[in-house]
Amino acid sequence: MLRRSIFGTLNAGRLLRLPTRYNAKTAGVLGQIRTYAHKLEADESVSESEWKGQLYSWKSICLCTIPLIAFGLGTWQIQRLKWKMALLDDVNDRMHRRPVALPLRVTAEEINRNEYRRVIVYGVYDHANEMLVGPRSYESEPGFVVVTPLVREDGSRVLVNRGWIKRELQDPKLRPESQITEPVTVIAFVRCSPGKNSFMPESDPESNHWFNLDLELMAKHTGSQEVLLEVIQPESAAAAILDARNGIPLGAPSLVDIKNNHLQYTLTWYAMSAITGTMLYISLRKPRSAIAQIKRLRSKAGRDL
């Protein structure tokens, strides 16, 4: 009877039920229970004050921004995914169109609108102004990218990225088959300027050291239009390997693989938002009071506890 009364009396420091009959010893025990209950109530007040202080601290507010920012980045990646899918569809459509003759004069707007469009251009390579950009690796092998001006029938020039060569073949004398002097018909992709790589040193046109494919600087150095074409390698892999062995630059593949990792980024950011949000809830949730725990145990075990 006494054990049942102890667990039935605690509720915010007050006695809910007292045994109908009790002696002096029982009264002493109940006095101790009252004292313990008041102590629990005081401890809970202090604990709640500490929890509120932690909840409304600058640290907690800053931590709350982490799952929100991660969720926002995941939503932004969804928009990027839609944009990339549309871009891939557009590029794929351009690449499979029939090649067209490149106009003698091309504007920057037309280049941007027709990037990866296959074009046909006729002219003579100006090997005296050949430029090697690099170093650049291909399948873990070091080498250079060969950019040569192409002189057209009206005397205008465009820059042609002929492709990649091995480092050992950077001297033109070692690859005579690539030094074509007759007029050629080139089928190539129209490409926009790739931009400068901030991690690369500045190119030195005077010494013909090119670390970046800087279209503006190259065009100025060679007297060419700011038009960049990228030669397409033969569809036969065997023919492409044979050209590379003979010192003929290895051009771009006929189908360009543009990376699209936005779906992985989206899942990563949303997962991070869920994980950090769960961790934040666990760390900031209000701790259960001792009295609430006793009531929970009592309701769970039944009145016969």
Side-chain angles (χ1 to χ4, degrees):
M1 184 65 180
L2 175 59
R3 186 181 177 187
R4 178 179 175 181
S5 299
I6 291 174
F7 285 93
T9 54
L10 293 178
N11 185 7
R14 292 180 299 175
L15 296 177
L16 292 179
R17 291 192 304 274
L18 293 176
T20 54
R21 297 178 181 179
Y22 59 93
N23 52 28
K25 184 178 180 180
T26 305
V29 172
L30 292 177
Q32 293 177 4
I33 292 173
R34 291 191 186 95
T35 304
Y36 180 68
H38 286 297
K39 185 176 183 299
L40 282 178
E41 186 179 35
D43 291 343
E44 287 172 9
S45 299
V46 174
S47 178
E48 185 172 356
S49 299
E50 292 177 351
W51 171 74
K52 288 183 178 180
Q54 179 185 1
L55 182 64
Y56 299 111
S57 65
W58 283 107
K59 180 181 178 181
S60 299
I61 295 174
C62 293
L63 289 175
C64 289
T65 61
I66 296 177
L68 295 177
I69 292 174
F71 185 85
L73 289 173
T75 305
W76 175 65
Q77 285 298 330
I78 290 179
Q79 303 300 322
R80 295 283 294 172
L81 177 62
K82 293 179 181 179
W83 167 80
K84 181 59 73 69
M85 295 297 294
L87 175 64
L88 292 176
D89 291 341
D90 191 18
V91 169
N92 186 62
D93 177 66
R94 297 178 198 170
M95 292 175 63
H96 286 86
R97 292 181 188 175
R98 182 177 298 178
V100 296
L102 182 71
L104 294 176
R105 297 293 173 182
V106 186
T107 64
E109 182 180 352
E110 290 174 329
I111 292 174
N112 293 331
R113 191 170 60 247
N114 292 283
E115 187 175 20
Y116 286 108
R117 181 73 188 271
R118 289 186 296 168
V119 295
I120 302 174
V121 60
Y122 179 82
V124 179
Y125 282 123
D126 179 13
H127 297 291
N129 286 310
E130 180 182 89
M131 295 166 285
L132 301 180
V133 182
R136 296 287 188 275
S137 62
Y138 177 77
E139 294 184 353
S140 302
E141 187 171 359
F144 294 88
V145 171
V146 180
V147 180
T148 309
L150 183 73
V151 184
R152 308 184 70 184
E153 56 266 30
D154 67 338
S156 62
R157 295 168 173 244
V158 293
L159 294 174
V160 179
N161 179 355
R162 301 181 63 193
W164 178 87
I165 59 170
K166 295 181 179 180
R167 181 173 57 186
E168 295 78 10
L169 299 176
Q170 56 183 310
D171 187 352
K173 296 178 182 179
L174 300 177
R175 43 185 173 86
E177 294 187 24
S178 69
Q179 305 297 296
I180 306 171
T181 56
E182 296 82 11
V184 294
T185 300
V186 179
I187 299 178
F189 288 128
V190 176
R191 293 303 308 273
C192 296
S193 176
K196 297 180 181 180
N197 188 335
S198 57
F199 296 99
M200 288 288 185
E202 291 292 332
S203 301
D204 185 6
E206 299 300 325
S207 59
N208 204 27
H209 289 159
W210 301 90
F211 301 101
N212 289 292
L213 212 165
D214 189 336
L215 181 58
E216 182 180 358
L217 186 60
M218 287 180 165
K220 183 178 180 180
H221 178 68
T222 59
S224 305
Q225 299 182 61
E226 291 187 24
V227 177
L228 178 64
L229 306 178
E230 194 172 57
V231 173
I232 303 173
Q233 65 179 255
E235 293 186 3
S236 171
I241 293 173
L242 181 61
D243 286 349
R245 290 178 178 175
N246 294 330
I248 298 176
L250 185 63
S254 57
L255 293 177
V256 179
D257 183 20
I258 301 177
K259 292 182 179 181
N260 183 11
N261 297 322
H262 294 291
L263 179 59
Q264 293 91 317
Y265 297 155
T266 300
L267 296 177
T268 299
W269 284 119
Y270 277 149
M272 185 176 294
S273 176
I275 292 171
T276 55
T278 302
M279 293 174 62
L280 183 65
Y281 168 75
I282 293 174
S283 63
L284 295 182
R285 67 178 177 179
K286 186 176 181 180
R288 182 173 296 180
S289 67
I291 293 177
Q293 292 183 21
I294 292 173
K295 291 176 64 178
R296 176 174 167 271
L297 289 173
R298 181 174 176 273
S299 61
K300 187 174 182 182
R303 297 182 61 85
D304 294 331
L305 182 64

